[in-house]
Amino acid sequence: MRVERLELLGFRSYRDATVDFAPRFTAVLGENGQGKTNLLEAIGYLSRLSSFRGAPPSAMVAASQVASADQPRQAVIRGQLRDGRREVLVEAELPIEGRPRVLVNRQPLRRRADLLKSFQVSVFMPDDLELVKEGPALRRSYLDEILVSARPSMAAVVAEVDKILRQRNVLLKQVGRRLSSETTLTLDVWDERLDAAGSRLAEHRVELLAQLQPYVIEAYDKVASRSESVTLRYLSSWREMGLADALRASRDDDVRRQVSLVGPHRDDMEVRLAGMDSRHQASQGEQRSLAFALRLAAHRFVTDEIGVAPVLLLDDIFSELDPGRSAALLGALPEAQVILTSATPLPKGADPELVLEVHDGSVTAAG
Ligand SMILES: Nc1ncnc2c1ncn2[C@@H]1O[C@H](COP(=O)(O)OP(=O)(O)OP(=O)(O)O)[C@@H](O)[C@H]1O
Ligand SMILES: [Mg+2]
C-alpha cells in the first residue's frame, strides 16, 4: 500500500498544496508548528476517516476557509493511492458542519471496510506512551483497531457494540433510576444484543492477544535491544460468568448509576514486562520502548494477516529517544512505505529517498 500524491485544499494550515511521496522512504522536515503533523493527519484520514489526533472535522477546516465568505466552508483531502497494481483515488470533503463525504474512484464510499481493503496506515507518535501508561480506553482501541485492520468486517461488530452501549446508556439516563415494566422489557432487548455483540468482540480480542504476543516479544527485542519476557493478558470482570448473567447481576447498579458498568467497554489489556506490570512498574524508557513495540507488532501482524504492509506514518518519533534507541528503531522498521516527520536533523543511518521541507503550510522537495 502506498500514497503517491496528496492534494490538500483548505486543510488546516494548507490552503492549496500538492505533495508527492517516494515509494519507500520520505522524510518531512520543518520547525515546530509548520504543518508536518497536519500532513500525516491528512494521509491518516484517508484510511481511518477520522483524525489520529482525535480532532473533529471542524478543527481540520482551514481557518481562512471558515473566515472567508466566498470560500466553501470545507476542507478537501485527495489522495492518489496504490495497492499493488491498482490505483485508487480517495477524495474526502470535510464540511465545517454536517457529515464528511468520501468518494473512492469517484463513487461514494458505502462502508469504511471497503476502504480498508485498499488503504491502511499505522501511526506512531510520542503520545503512544499513553498506550502503556494511561487508563484502559487506549488499549481497547488499540486492540479494536488491529481487529478492524486485519479483518475489515470487524468494523461492523465494533460499531454495533458502540451503538448498543450508547443507546443503553441513553435509556438508563431516561428511566431516572426507576424501571417500569415497559422499560424493563426495552432494557432486556438491549442486554440481549449487547450480550451477542459484546461477547463476540471480547472473544476476538482474546484470540488476538494470543496471536499478537510473539510479535510484541520480537518487536521489543529489536527496539530495546534486549530480550525480555512480555506477556499480554485480557482483563475482564465478566467473561467467566458470561455477559448475559453479568448484565443481569449488574442491572440494579446500572439503573442506580445510570450507566453500563459491565461489558467489553470496561475491559483492559495488561502488559507485563519481565513479570512486572508495565503500567505501574516499568521505567519511562521501558514504557516508551514497549509502546513502540506494541505499534510495531501491530503493523507486522496486520501485514501478515492481509498480505500487504500498511503505510507507516511516524510522527516525530526521534524527539524522545537517545541516538542508540533511534538507531535501533530505524533498524527495526519493516518493509513498507515510510513517511516520517522530524523537527530536528535525522539521526545517523536514516537514508530517505526524498526529503520534504515544510514551511508555513507549503511543502518543497529539498535539493
Ligand atoms: N484549522 C486550522 N486552520 C489553520 N491553521 C491551522 C488549523 N489547525 C491547525 N493549524 C495550524 O497548524 C499548525 C500546526 O501544524 P502541525 O501540528 O502540523 O505542526 P508540526 O509541524 O507538526 O509542529 P511540531 O513540530 O511542533 O509538532 C499550527 O501552527 C496551527 O496554527
Ligand atoms: Mg507535529
Side-chain angles (χ1 to χ4, degrees):
M1 289 173 176
R2 252 201 277 156
V3 50
E4 297 189 321
R5 167 172 287 188
L6 185 71
E7 280 177 66
L8 300 175
L9 293 170
F11 179 87
R12 291 212 188 251
S13 47
Y14 295 95
R15 187 180 284 269
D16 180 354
T18 300
V19 187
D20 290 313
F21 297 95
R24 172 81 180 92
F25 187 0
T26 304
V28 180
L29 306 181
E31 290 173 3
N32 294 137
Q34 301 301 311
K36 302 181 297 295
T37 305
N38 293 348
L39 207 61
L40 297 192
E41 184 182 40
I43 298 171
Y45 191 92
L46 295 177
S47 171
R48 300 194 175 181
L49 305 184
S50 63
S51 157
F52 62 68
R53 303 201 235 195
S58 59
M60 294 187 273
V61 180
S64 55
Q65 216 79 0
V66 178
S68 149
D70 46 66
Q71 297 277 351
R73 288 155 63 88
Q74 63 171 16
V76 177
I77 309 171
R78 201 172 283 138
Q80 278 180 32
L81 315 173
R82 174 173 292 281
D83 177 23
R85 287 221 220 117
R86 225 157 50 89
E87 278 191 20
V88 185
L89 175 68
V90 180
E91 296 165 286
E93 292 173 9
L94 288 69
I96 192 106
E97 278 162 1
R99 290 166 70 86
R101 210 163 76 95
V102 181
L103 301 176
V104 177
N105 291 333
R106 311 224 182 258
Q107 299 299 314
L109 175 71
R110 262 183 264 286
R111 296 175 313 161
R112 189 182 152 228
D114 297 336
L115 186 57
L116 291 175
K117 284 175 193 142
S118 28
F119 189 57
Q120 296 211 19
V121 297
S122 301
V123 183
F124 293 57
M125 51 183 166
D127 281 0
D128 286 340
L129 182 59
E130 293 171 7
L131 193 55
V132 178
K133 280 181 84 156
E134 299 291 317
L138 290 169
R139 287 182 291 280
R140 286 192 301 266
S141 327
Y142 168 80
L143 293 176
D144 292 348
E145 252 169 49
I146 302 174
L147 284 175
V148 170
S149 295
R151 288 168 229 132
S153 62
M154 280 301 292
V157 179
V158 175
E160 165 88 350
V161 171
D162 235 42
K163 193 177 99 191
I164 296 169
L165 280 165
R166 247 181 294 125
Q167 298 189 325
R168 191 178 187 273
N169 288 339
V170 167
L171 180 68
L172 288 170
K173 292 254 162 17
Q174 274 171 358
V175 301
R177 304 202 164 83
R178 191 170 306 141
L179 286 178
S180 66
S181 53
E182 197 184 319
T183 46
T184 302
L185 285 178
T186 316
L187 195 53
D188 285 346
V189 173
W190 287 127
D191 286 9
E192 216 172 287
R193 291 179 61 183
L194 183 56
D195 175 37
S199 305
R200 188 161 163 224
L201 177 60
E203 290 316 313
H204 279 280
R205 287 179 182 165
V206 170
E207 189 195 343
L208 173 65
L209 281 200
Q211 293 174 311
L212 207 54
Q213 174 143 330
Y215 286 86
V216 179
I217 293 173
E218 195 196 323
Y220 189 83
D221 278 5
K222 281 213 176 109
V223 173
S225 311
R226 74 164 82 182
S227 280
E228 207 74 83
S229 83
V230 188
T231 50
L232 307 179
R233 197 159 64 99
Y234 195 67
L235 303 181
S236 163
S237 63
W238 54 270
R239 278 190 70 244
E240 215 165 288
M241 183 191 273
L243 190 48
D245 283 348
L247 286 169
R248 224 166 285 131
S250 163
R251 180 167 287 191
D252 288 348
D253 285 342
D254 283 15
V255 170
R256 196 163 40 80
R257 305 258 304 266
Q258 301 189 300
V259 9
S260 304
L261 294 167
V262 293
H265 60 297
R266 292 285 173 124
D267 296 350
D268 196 0
M269 169 177 76
E270 181 195 60
V271 185
R272 297 190 86 83
L273 182 66
M276 283 182 284
D277 181 5
S278 62
R279 190 174 164 201
H280 300 295
Q281 294 175 303
S283 78
Q284 179 96 344
E286 287 169 339
Q287 288 176 330
R288 204 164 273 293
S289 297
L290 201 50
F292 207 82
L294 287 170
R295 290 286 179 215
L296 207 54
H299 180 85
R300 286 189 193 268
F301 173 75
V302 171
T303 303
D304 285 352
E305 289 291 301
I306 65 177
V308 36
V311 175
L312 279 172
L313 303 178
L314 309 180
D315 192 23
D316 214 12
I317 50 164
F318 300 122
S319 61
E320 311 282 340
L321 299 176
D322 58 45
R325 275 180 200 258
S326 295
L329 206 119
L330 278 169
L333 288 183
E335 280 294 314
Q337 184 185 29
V338 174
I339 303 173
L340 79 75
T341 70
S342 179
T344 51
L346 295 177
K348 268 204 209 86
D351 188 18
E353 289 164 278
L354 174 66
V355 176
L356 300 174
E357 276 162 11
V358 185
H359 183 73
D360 197 13
S362 74
V363 186
T364 46

